[in-house]
Amino acid sequence: MIMHKELPIISPDKFHDECAVFGIYGHEEAANLTYLGLYALQHRGQEASGIVSGDGDQFYIQKGMGLVADIYNKTTLEKLPGRMAIGHNRYSTAGGNDLKNVQPFNVNFAFGNLALAHNGNLINAQVLRNELEAYGAIFQSTSDTEVIIHLIAHSRASTFLARVMDALNQVRGAFSLVLMTDNGLIAVRDPHGLRPLCLGRVRGSWVVASETCAFDLLDAEYIREIEPGELVVLSDQGIDSHRPFPKVDPAMCVFEYVYFARPDSRIYGANAVYSTRKALGRRLAKESWVDADIVIPVPDSGVPAALGYSEGGGIPFETGLIRNHYVGRTFIEPEQSIRHFGVKVKLNAVPEVLTGKRVVVVDDSLVRGTTSRKIVKMLRNAGAKEVHMRISSPPIVSPCFYGIDTPTKKELIASNHSTEEIRKYITADSLAYLSLDGMLQSAPGVPAQYCNACFTEKYPIAFTRAEEMQLGLFGPSADVKKVM
Ligand code: AMP
Ligand code: SF4
């Protein structure tokens, strides 16, 4: 769950729920494959990881803080028997490094064992939590996800599946979820399909994962995307698909295409992350071409867009910045001082490429402007004659409440500064963003199928007054001006 620094959220911990989920049913080596799946999904969450396996009677749990490769080893994986398992990677938190918040969550209740892994963010979690606590519910964590477990436990529906459906009809927001019971797995995607969730098969067993790069590592076959609003039950009886929610328009996160998903993944049913990023760059070149000697990416996420810009703009592509791959993503560092340091630690300029050159530097997004400012300085110090910053998405003007970690509106530089003011701040010779149309037309399918709220403030799920209060969206210090 995202809890922004200045927001009046009751729980002290700050969650940033950009996460990865994985599940497997019917495999002798369920935990080992879950480990591999989580390894491939490391980019979606680097702060903590957990695996829960099940053998039909009992659940077995291993969790830890840090990277997947550091948490699990032969010994810990041997403690995870059973033919089914689910796993979760969690993104960074600006505090509250606490194992109690590490997913999957698991409980034992009237219907047996239950474990749950969630990617997304529920906008009414605090409202529901307050109600549940008023009825005596005791929460173990500060996570929005735990609310789902309580709602399932409190439901009056007669079967377990009906309880899950009942619970999920009460939560609002983004959820790609994998649940495990003693009998099988349930995978479900919220009605808008805000976050991806894919279904595959590996040697007769079912697998689900946030992105298909997890399947590739297992040699699993991609079957299809779990559709927005679809719930599937995976068990010895095979696959059983349900539609438990009233139908709404899809609103899949377009930022997965811009930045978050791995370029080798297939998401939202299309094999198009890499090609979309290139198309964003081509379009950017068309919209904001500048006479320059070379185009360089901010590695790694800016690479496909820079290739597209180079192709579209007829300017040679070069590698002018080198990334140290052993440092985590800049953005996960919580403090300004560390973040500044982080850019230097992570990226270094190549003087022989840059000296005397007019340089176009392409990045996927500009959030606070911290990275860009550092990069421009670095390029000039390495001899660049001119530095033209190009961003392959529109200005980010409003926070995401659906599971992507964005800072508050106050910290989003484009929410309160013009492009010219930002250009001055980052000290570039020129700065241009991709237009909203340019971004939406570069993504596969129709523009209307995507959420673009962080660029437009048009949130696909209207906030109730209580949610506005809880999320700090109301009043003079409101974090967002208006919602749809
Ligand atoms: P900033 O320095 O705050 O402008 O951050 C911009 C950089 O952060 C870009 O290079 C992006 O690739 C990266 N970025 C954008 N959004 C996120 C996110 N939600 N999590 C991690 N990194 C991000
Ligand atoms: Fe994605 Fe932005 Fe919508 Fe969040 S607000 S789901 S980051 S498009």
Side-chain angles (χ1 to χ4, degrees), residues 18 91 255 259-260 298-299 301-302 323 329-332 339 343 346 363-373 375 396 404-407 411 413:
E18 288 167 37
Y91 211 69
F255 204 62
Y259 169 74
F260 208 50
V298 176
S301 52
R323 167 163 301 239
R329 288 184 180 186
T330 318
F331 206 76
I332 70 172
R339 199 164 38 242
V343 178
K346 218 164 72 169
D363 204 354
D364 57 88
S365 56
L366 199 149
V367 182
R368 295 179 174 89
T370 331
T371 310
S372 303
R373 189 177 155 92
I375 285 170
I396 299 177
I404 294 275
D405 174 21
T406 39
E411 292 171 285
I413 192 165

Side-chain angles (χ1 to χ4, degrees), residues 12-258:
D13 290 1
K14 297 168 190 79
F15 261 64
H16 301 267
D17 222 6
E18 288 167 37
C19 300
V21 294
F22 183 90
I24 180 160
Y25 182 80
H27 199 288
E28 294 308 323
E29 289 194 70
N32 286 341
L33 267 57
T34 303
Y35 162 71
L36 290 175
L38 293 177
Y39 193 81
L41 295 167
Q42 187 74 82
H43 63 291
R44 296 185 74 89
Q46 296 145 9
E47 191 220 23
S49 180
I51 300 178
V52 177
S53 72
D55 60 8
D57 284 326
Q58 230 182 300
F59 278 7
Y60 307 86
I61 301 139
Q62 293 290 327
K63 291 180 183 180
M65 307 302 299
L67 298 176
V68 170
D70 300 329
I71 295 170
Y72 310 104
N73 55 40
K74 199 165 176 289
T75 319
T76 50
L77 290 171
E78 275 167 7
K79 290 181 187 159
L80 294 167
R83 294 175 66 247
M84 57 182 168
I86 65 172
H88 188 267
N89 288 341
R90 198 177 104 189
Y91 211 69
S92 94
T93 143
N97 279 6
D98 202 330
L99 260 184
K100 73 179 188 305
N101 286 322
V102 178
Q103 297 192 33
F105 290 124
N106 65 288
V107 288
N108 185 286
F109 75 129
F111 284 77
N113 288 302
L114 170 65
L116 193 156
H118 173 204
N119 173 207
N121 183 58
L122 308 178
I123 59 169
N124 64 341
Q126 196 66 47
V127 175
L128 290 169
R129 183 178 174 135
N130 292 350
E131 283 169 20
L132 286 158
E133 282 178 335
Y135 283 102
I138 297 168
F139 280 76
Q140 308 284 325
S141 75
T142 53
S143 165
D144 59 335
T145 308
E146 200 187 341
V147 166
I148 300 173
I149 292 183
H150 284 272
L151 290 173
I152 295 172
H154 281 81
S155 170
R156 299 271 165 91
S158 52
T159 66
F160 175 74
L161 192 57
R163 282 181 174 224
V164 172
M165 293 178 182
D166 180 30
L168 294 179
N169 267 298
Q170 294 174 63
V171 300
R172 288 155 34 76
F175 52 90
S176 280
L177 286 173
V178 187
L179 294 94
M180 185 169 76
T181 69
D182 291 317
N183 306 316
L185 299 191
I186 295 172
V188 54
R189 207 161 149 218
D190 68 71
H192 292 282
L194 276 149
R195 306 254 76 86
L197 191 61
C198 309
L199 179 70
R201 294 220 84 175
V202 56
R203 276 164 276 142
S205 17
W206 293 106
V207 275
V208 284
S210 296
E211 292 179 33
T212 56
C213 60
F215 295 170
D216 297 341
L217 194 55
L218 313 181
D219 271 338
E221 179 199 354
Y222 169 78
I223 303 288
R224 65 178 177 86
E225 185 89 7
I226 309 245
E227 287 174 23
E230 184 183 11
L231 179 154
V232 297
V233 180
L234 307 169
S235 68
D236 285 338
Q237 278 70 54
I239 179 168
D240 197 9
S241 169
H242 301 260
R243 300 273 171 182
F245 310 108
K247 198 162 166 39
V248 295
D249 291 334
M252 299 178 284
C253 172
V254 72
F255 204 62
E256 293 271 356
Y257 272 120
V258 170

